[in-house]
Amino acid sequence: MLPPHLHLAFKISWRAEEILYRLDVDWPKYSEYFTGATFCVAVDSLNGLVYVAQRGDNIPKVLVFTEDGYFLRSWNYTVDTPHGIFAASTPQEKSVWITDVGSGFYGHTIKKYNSFGDLVQVLGTPGKKGTGLNPLQFDNPAELHVDDTGDIYIVDGDGGLNNRLIKLSQDFMILWLRGENGTGPAKFNIPHSVTVDSTGRVWVADRGNKRLQVFDKDTGDWLGEWKNCFSEEGPSAVRFTPDGKYVVVAQLNLSRLLILVAPPVGNIGDCSVVSTIQLADQVSPHLLDVSRETGAVYVAEIGAKQVQKYIPVNSEVLERWDLD
């Protein structure tokens, strides 16, 4: 046993970080299907499907896997330059929406497909960028979220003419619109990702302004922002875990995922990081999605040209003892 005076010479401290996810090294079963820059990923939890959209010449633009990692099919029809993707299936219909930022005939649009790549619906003015609302025009539409009611939330765009959040009804009528270029409340600088939480709040990754902005989904009223977690780099993607406890955010240039504590109903307060997933340099996580069924996080990495899957683990605590 050490003499009492030596016990005063140092202090023992510990920090705890929750380990919430682990990499599924077996997903997908064969990675050679990734032949381009993988920009986005969407999970159809109802049917156990994962859609990946990639860019490149003379390659399939959309790949379809099972959540277990088996490749099913690919398609390319009418897809120019995909940016964001969202699976919006119902028991009656398997469907997937893609935002297209290309300069060709199908560019500057948001398109709905069935699971086999048949074009079902086109929003926007194909091949023509613009700011108009009647007819509706986009310029580099970044991403969308389709609510269970069929309402559609669109962030437009990724460095184009527009910096706005648009809500459409299920029959594609504009219900409200927020935003213009700027740094104040309800203004944007590259609104890059959008999602809706279980309490009726719309979350936008305002990438250029290094913040998440929050809106009421019914009225479009601005509810607040989170900035304190993004001093190094703004968020490029935002999603919630199925239990609503956490917000999962990607930071593209830092090659990092942040797991944040979701706020309760009411005041959103400040953001708090509960866990981080540091990826290798230049992996560049662009957009991500979360399975409603399993809680798995799928990350589209444009630097690594792959999609990786992270599985929730039982809450473990990593304790690091420091002597100082």
Side-chain angles (χ1 to χ4, degrees):
M1 184 173 179
L2 292 173
H5 70 278
L6 290 182
H7 283 283
L8 301 177
F10 59 87
K11 181 180 69 174
I12 297 177
S13 63
W14 65 275
R15 292 175 292 167
E17 180 179 337
E18 289 192 69
I19 307 300
L20 298 179
Y21 296 93
R22 65 174 178 84
L23 178 64
D24 182 352
V25 295
D26 294 321
W27 199 98
K29 301 298 183 184
Y30 303 100
S31 59
E32 61 264 25
Y33 293 104
F34 300 137
T35 52
T38 47
F39 266 72
C40 49
V41 59
V43 186
D44 176 354
S45 303
L46 198 62
N47 297 291
L49 301 176
V50 179
Y51 296 88
V52 176
Q54 58 181 3
R55 297 184 193 177
D57 296 327
N58 303 313
I59 63 169
K61 298 292 177 65
V62 180
L63 311 173
V64 188
F65 297 89
T66 68
E67 281 211 65
D68 293 332
Y70 293 99
F71 176 76
L72 294 179
R73 56 187 169 270
S74 63
W75 39 271
N76 202 25
Y77 177 61
T78 75
V79 182
D80 186 349
T81 308
H83 186 278
I85 191 168
F86 187 87
S89 290
T90 66
Q92 294 77 34
E93 178 187 46
K94 296 178 185 177
S95 62
V96 59
W97 292 81
I98 295 175
T99 68
D100 198 321
V101 299
S103 56
F105 182 73
Y106 290 99
H108 303 295
T109 56
I110 299 175
K111 292 167 288 192
K112 179 183 181 181
Y113 298 87
N114 67 20
S115 185
F116 291 89
D118 298 318
L119 184 61
V120 177
Q121 180 72 43
V122 179
L123 303 181
T125 307
K128 294 182 179 180
K129 64 183 179 181
T131 61
L133 299 178
N134 188 19
L136 186 59
Q137 292 179 299
F138 303 112
D139 185 8
N140 292 351
E143 200 186 48
L144 76 158
H145 174 95
V146 183
D147 214 351
D148 291 338
T149 62
D151 292 339
I152 303 170
Y153 302 83
I154 298 165
V155 280
D156 173 38
D158 183 31
L161 295 168
N162 305 317
N163 282 276
R164 60 193 185 184
L165 167 65
I166 304 172
K167 180 180 181 180
L168 302 180
S169 65
Q170 56 185 322
D171 55 356
F172 314 123
M173 301 296 292
I174 296 176
L175 298 178
W176 51 256
L177 183 151
R178 297 292 180 268
E180 59 184 59
N181 184 252
T183 59
K187 296 183 179 182
F188 301 106
N189 179 13
I190 308 180
H192 197 262
S193 181
V194 60
T195 194
V196 179
D197 69 19
S198 59
T199 65
R201 296 175 293 199
V202 184
W203 293 71
V204 176
D206 186 7
R207 180 174 156 190
N209 284 327
K210 295 184 178 181
R211 63 183 176 180
L212 290 170
Q213 292 201 72
V214 189
F215 301 82
D216 182 282
K217 81 170 191 176
D218 295 321
T219 66
D221 290 344
W222 186 80
L223 300 178
E225 65 181 12
W226 277 359
K227 294 189 73 169
N228 56 297
C229 293
F230 307 112
S231 59
E232 294 178 270
E233 185 188 358
S236 64
V238 58
R239 289 291 188 270
F240 279 77
T241 56
D243 58 11
K245 290 183 178 180
Y246 301 109
V247 187
V248 185
V249 170
Q251 291 177 298
L252 178 72
N253 295 316
L254 291 173
S255 291
R256 184 169 69 184
L257 308 181
L258 299 180
I259 317 300
L260 313 174
V261 179
V265 177
N267 188 349
I268 67 165
D270 292 325
C271 63
S272 175
V273 178
V274 68
S275 185
T276 61
I277 301 174
Q278 183 61 58
L279 309 176
D281 286 347
Q282 300 182 352
V283 164
S284 303
H286 184 247
L287 290 169
L288 58 84
D289 205 7
V290 179
S291 170
R292 286 190 185 187
E293 287 296 318
T294 66
V297 178
Y298 295 83
V299 185
E301 302 167 351
I302 56 176
K305 296 185 176 181
Q306 64 183 4
V307 170
Q308 289 193 302
K309 177 183 180 180
Y310 289 86
I311 305 171
V313 298
N314 293 330
S315 184
E316 303 171 15
V317 176
L318 173 65
E319 296 186 353
R320 295 192 300 246
W321 293 83
D322 298 316
L323 297 181
D324 42 75

